[in-house]
Amino acid sequence: MDLKDVKAVVTGGASGLGEACVRMLAGAGAKAAIFDMAVERGEKLAAELGKNVIFVNTDVTNDEGVQSSVARAVEAFGTINGAINCAGVGAASKVFSKKGPYPLKAFNWVVQINLIGTFNVIRLAVEQMVKNPPNAEGERGVIVNTASAAAFDGQIGQAAYSASKAGVVGMTLPIARECADYGIRVATIAPGLFNTPMLAQLPQEIRDALGQSVPFPKRLGNPVEYAMLARHIIENPMINGEVIRLDGALRMAAK
């Protein structure tokens, strides 16, 4: 798909990996709708990037809310033919600790946003994309999801996060197989340790140590590098049904 023809929704688009993707799209002349709950950041980013970018206050777990947000993007752009799912949260806790068992509410919160929220956006984006006329390749749309290296080698305390991201990995192929009939591609990026707001909450010395744990390059990933891969997935029609690790050969230890 030609990037300048892309009209995409980007969840979690007000910061981190999502923001990098919004900037990448806008810089290439594409259109992007920022779906996020960080109103101030989202509105500021949209204003900075100009008329091809809009902000829509969106809770990805809300059925009617995402329907309304997709409708708003379609109203602004005429249609959508791209969706990049970057909205995500983490809540580290052991299954059992001195505080007792892992709070079920916290586990559910992570899964609701990371997994169910991703699926919610996928299903409603596909509903719109099937209406698009196909391009020369027969393509009507492309969806890029975000999993994590933790889907494969999650650490102690990451049960909720790893489960939610493993769910994103697990649904990639079946959704891609179904959407092949519609001319819509589906792929997932599984980043390792990236310099995002989630990691920014940690002390600098811990972030430095995490970066040194990456085989090469020995540093945290830059969100721009995630956006570079998202761009390639959008532009390369043979990438479909695949989960791509983006982690500098990192394989995380148990803790």
Side-chain angles (χ1 to χ4, degrees):
M1 185 178 293
D2 194 323
L3 206 64
K4 66 178 174 53
D5 297 328
V6 170
K7 303 171 180 68
V9 302
V10 183
T11 72
S15 64
L17 304 179
E19 178 183 348
C21 289
V22 171
R23 290 185 180 278
M24 175 272 293
L25 291 166
K31 295 179 171 63
I34 301 166
F35 284 12
D36 207 305
M37 295 179 69
V39 176
E40 185 176 350
R41 286 183 63 94
E43 289 181 342
K44 182 179 180 181
L45 181 61
E48 175 193 339
L49 296 178
K51 63 180 181 179
N52 284 347
V53 178
I54 64 171
F55 171 74
V56 188
N57 189 356
T58 307
D59 175 357
V60 295
T61 68
N62 186 285
D63 184 354
E64 293 181 357
V66 175
Q67 288 186 50
S68 176
S69 294
V70 169
R72 174 71 182 87
V74 171
E75 178 186 9
F77 304 147
T79 187
I80 59 167
N81 56 9
I84 303 177
N85 287 299
C86 294
V89 296
S93 180
K94 291 185 176 181
V95 174
F96 179 75
S97 68
K98 294 178 180 178
K99 297 179 181 179
Y102 194 131
L104 191 58
K105 186 176 180 179
F107 190 98
N108 184 61
W109 176 65
V110 173
V111 173
Q112 282 286 329
I113 294 174
N114 295 358
L115 176 57
I116 297 174
T118 296
F119 181 75
N120 191 26
V121 173
I122 290 172
R123 69 189 186 93
L124 295 171
V126 168
E127 180 186 31
Q128 178 59 42
M129 290 178 187
V130 296
K131 303 172 187 176
N132 295 335
N135 65 12
E137 284 274 4
E139 192 169 23
R140 290 184 168 88
V142 58
I143 295 168
V144 180
N145 302 314
T146 305
S148 170
F152 308 101
D153 35 73
Q155 297 178 299
I156 291 171
Q158 288 187 340
Y161 188 74
S162 294
S164 67
K165 294 302 188 176
V168 174
V169 169
M171 70 183 179
T172 299
L173 183 58
I175 295 176
R177 284 171 162 169
E178 175 187 348
C179 288
D181 290 338
Y182 316 139
I184 300 169
R185 292 185 292 115
V186 183
T188 293
I189 300 172
L193 297 171
F194 270 66
N195 191 17
T196 64
M198 193 180 296
L199 277 187
Q201 301 173 32
L202 299 175
Q204 185 63 50
E205 60 270 22
I206 294 179
R207 282 184 283 157
D208 291 342
L210 288 172
Q212 285 299 305
S213 71
V214 180
F216 186 82
K218 283 191 169 297
R219 59 171 174 80
L220 299 177
N222 189 314
V224 170
E225 293 163 329
Y226 176 98
M228 290 168 61
L229 181 53
R231 174 173 184 159
H232 186 69
I233 291 170
I234 291 168
E235 293 182 320
N236 190 331
M238 282 302 289
I239 298 179
N240 193 17
E242 186 57 87
V243 178
I244 304 171
R245 289 185 70 138
L246 187 66
D247 58 19
L250 175 70
R251 297 300 181 267
M252 292 188 290
K255 58 182 177 179

